[in-house]
Amino acid sequence: MFRRVLIANRGEIAQRIIRACRELSIETVAIYSEADADAIYLRQADETICVGPGPGAKSYLNIPAIISAAEIADVEAIVPGYGFLAENAHFAEVCRSCNIQFVGPDPETIEALGNKSNAREMAMRADVPVVPGSDGPVEDEATALAVAREIGYPVMIKASSGGGGRGMRVASNDPSLINAFHAARTEAENAFGDKTVYLEKFVENPRHVEIQILGDRFGNVIHLGERDCSVQRRHQKLIEESPSPALTPEMRGKMGAAAVRICKEANYQNAGTVEFLLDRNGNFYFIEVNARIQVEHTVTEMVTGIDLIHQQLLIAGGERLSLEQEDVQTRGHAIECRINAEDPDKDFQPSPGLVELFVPPGGPGVRVDSHVYSGYRIPPYYDSMIAKLLAHRADRRQAISTMLRALDEFVIVGPKTTIPIQRRILMHSDFRSGEHDTGFVERYSSNLQAKPKT
Ligand code: MV4
């Protein structure tokens, strides 16, 4: 196993990785920006190195500074967490050329899956259901029209280099498709430096269900069940849960097996997530692979009892998976609320600054992953998530009830947070019955706003 690793991240995930390393007796080197000098994870790491000023581009995305820190601190591996450099194939390649183990998939795999059109083709080769659409990229207007006529409107135009909701457009007829095709290409060229797009049939108000995967260096791949992430707003997840209230055991088995097949096709190593859309009729379709640990990995940890960061480190260290598919058993129901420093009544406008008081909930069935403390100042440069609150109970109804209790108990004085809207979502009949889809928050956003005081 590694003796010493560098953590190329900040906030709660840096702390999460340090906790896992401690348990495995791995020394940790934390990096930080000038804006994070008072971060709590710096006290938990064995060594700390400043890599630049506040803005992410100058610090947590600054490859030469991070690699220099890794060389100076003499680490064997770099753990990227999520965001920043976690899915940067070039960074993984630089790590390799410096003889530093990147704790994630190979650069080739990151690259292959980062191209969504290519990932779609890999899925088809692995006999994984994809949304009806183009065979690979669509290079011209005539081909786009021909594909649309074959699969039927509405269609979605997606940037190959997009993902996570960026670079997508819907078209409902020939003229709007011609328009959207050119607009999408221009937008993709500007955003990603790659104007390649592909076409899919548009699935209206799908559910978002994803499968957690682990793959080792010996070709073993297992799945750890699903997470339902249908409660989101503008592609920002607000609540995740496992198991999905929309899956039958039969669908779960099929989706898990499909996710394992595409990961084997991609020679996938380390922890990853295979994302699917689920339609009203119970059909599921592959959309993309996230080649990293995700924010919501904690939900899977709760129901499986498996520490995913331990697994990442063990796999990257060259160990064989100690678990077989049959060893993965889930217990009960877990829900996660992402507590963001945002004002849900002001269009989720970020609300950084001083946290005067921070008293997280506790008690039976509750887990809080957070880097925030009373007196902490939330820097304006990074994403606004300040805590992940999880409830784990025997069934969904009890998990909701424990989550509501924990949300009420949470004291955060200073910034505005998403706690009030999460409370209202958990009280909503569509959520409670498990019938919600990815359109839920936007559809009900007016009902989910705070009641004006009279
Ligand atoms: C779609 C779709 C409907 N039809 N593809 C958005 C994020 C990216 N991962 C894929 N996304 C979608 N792809 C087809 N063919 C609808 C979405 C989508 C969505 C997907 C998952 C979670 C939330 C979403 C919100 C809006 C749209």
Side-chain angles (χ1 to χ4, degrees):
M1 203 3 68
F2 303 122
R3 182 184 53 81
R4 191 171 163 84
V5 304
L6 180 138
I7 299 154
N9 216 305
R10 63 177 298 280
E12 73 85 19
I13 194 65
Q15 180 172 41
R16 173 74 192 84
I17 295 163
I18 292 169
R19 285 177 171 151
C21 288
R22 289 244 145 195
E23 290 166 358
L24 296 175
S25 302
I26 299 169
E27 292 175 10
T28 53
V29 178
I31 61 166
Y32 66 101
S33 74
E34 287 164 12
D36 275 337
D38 53 4
I40 210 78
Y41 69 89
L42 300 176
R43 302 184 190 213
Q44 296 159 339
D46 293 301
E47 191 179 328
T48 66
I49 302 179
C50 184
V51 290
K58 294 190 180 310
S59 49
Y60 302 104
L61 289 167
N62 183 343
I63 296 178
I66 294 170
I67 294 290
S68 305
E71 298 284 8
I72 289 162
D74 192 26
V75 300
E76 293 154 318
I78 294 183
V79 195
Y82 52 71
F84 297 121
L85 297 169
E87 289 177 279
N88 186 315
H90 168 67
F91 181 62
E93 181 69 51
V94 173
C95 289
R96 178 196 275 163
S97 66
C98 295
N99 277 315
I100 299 166
Q101 180 65 49
F102 177 78
V103 179
D106 289 338
E108 293 78 15
T109 303
I110 298 174
E111 182 85 48
L113 293 171
N115 182 313
K116 309 300 164 187
S117 168
N118 185 57
R120 180 180 150 86
E121 292 180 63
M122 291 173 95
M124 293 192 275
R125 278 202 294 281
D127 209 20
V128 170
V130 297
V131 192
S134 57
D135 296 330
V138 174
E139 308 285 0
D140 55 70
E141 213 177 277
T143 312
L145 289 166
V147 172
R149 214 155 290 167
E150 190 176 320
I151 62 177
Y153 286 106
V155 299
M156 201 168 209
I157 303 145
K158 295 185 171 182
S160 296
S161 298
R166 299 173 314 153
M168 307 187 316
R169 279 173 186 249
V170 182
S172 305
N173 50 46
D174 285 0
S176 78
L177 174 59
I178 293 169
N179 232 321
F181 175 74
H182 295 291
R185 278 163 72 85
T186 305
E187 204 175 283
E189 172 76 61
N190 291 335
F192 316 114
D194 168 17
K195 62 177 187 291
T196 317
V197 298
Y198 61 106
L199 243 68
E200 281 180 359
K201 174 102 186 162
F202 177 61
V203 183
E204 216 156 330
N205 291 329
R207 293 183 74 111
H208 172 133
V209 181
E210 57 187 32
I211 300 280
Q212 177 67 52
I213 285 290
L214 287 174
D216 68 14
R217 298 221 193 136
F218 306 93
N220 302 302
V221 180
I222 60 170
H223 74 84
L224 279 67
E226 81 281 11
R227 295 182 288 261
D228 192 312
C229 309
S230 299
V231 181
Q232 55 82 47
R233 182 191 164 273
R234 299 192 189 163
H235 306 293
Q236 293 297 316
K237 294 166 186 166
L238 280 167
I239 299 178
E240 303 99 344
E241 63 182 309
S242 185
S244 166
L247 287 194
T248 63
E250 191 197 346
M251 290 156 76
R252 176 171 298 116
K254 285 188 177 160
M255 199 183 270
V260 167
R261 284 201 302 280
I262 187 170
C263 287
K264 288 193 168 164
E265 177 72 30
N267 180 34
Y268 196 92
Q269 292 167 30
N270 220 279
T273 299
V274 184
E275 283 188 24
F276 294 94
L277 298 180
L278 183 64
D279 72 14
R280 296 247 144 240
N281 306 318
N283 303 305
F284 64 82
Y285 309 98
F286 166 82
I287 43 170
E288 49 192 77
V289 178
N290 299 134
R292 61 169 190 278
I293 195 76
Q294 287 184 286
V295 171
E296 64 270 25
H297 75 276
T298 41
V299 171
T300 299
E301 292 187 324
M302 300 295 267
V303 293
T304 61
I306 296 167
D307 186 310
L308 284 167
I309 312 294
H310 282 179
Q311 291 297 321
Q312 284 200 292
L313 290 161
L314 293 169
I315 290 165
E319 291 194 21
R320 209 172 265 278
L321 269 179
S322 58
L323 297 155
E324 297 189 19
Q325 190 62 57
E326 297 68 49
D327 300 327
V328 181
Q329 301 287 341
T330 67
R331 222 188 92 245
H333 197 100
I335 304 180
E336 171 174 272
C337 285
R338 295 191 188 190
I339 314 296
N340 298 335
E342 295 170 351
D343 186 348
D345 294 323
K346 287 213 177 94
D347 205 31
F348 292 79
Q349 182 186 325
S351 180
L354 180 66
V355 181
E356 290 166 53
L357 202 57
F358 186 83
V359 186
V366 172
R367 167 175 171 180
V368 180
D369 280 24
S370 175
H371 58 296
V372 175
Y373 55 86
S374 294
Y376 176 71
R377 191 172 283 280
I378 303 163
Y381 304 108
Y382 315 108
D383 84 24
S384 56
M385 194 178 72
I386 54 170
K388 305 194 298 204
L389 172 58
L390 291 109
H392 181 215
R393 285 305 205 187
D395 59 34
R396 188 169 188 268
R397 199 182 51 79
Q398 293 178 61
I400 292 173
S401 147
T402 294
M403 179 61 84
L404 282 166
R405 182 273 287 175
L407 286 169
D408 286 347
E409 202 175 309
F410 218 142
V411 179
I412 303 174
V413 179
K416 292 275 193 295
T417 77
T418 45
I419 288 176
I421 193 172
Q422 276 154 338
R423 206 172 191 296
R424 293 194 285 271
I425 293 169
L426 292 167
M427 295 294 289
H428 196 285
S429 58
D430 286 4
F431 179 81
R432 295 182 85 91
S433 64
E435 287 164 39
H436 60 289
D437 57 45
T438 51
F440 169 68
V441 179
E442 271 110 348
R443 214 157 41 240
Y444 292 109
S445 59
S446 55
N447 302 28
L448 294 168
Q449 300 290 306
K451 299 261 182 319
K453 291 196 183 85
T454 46

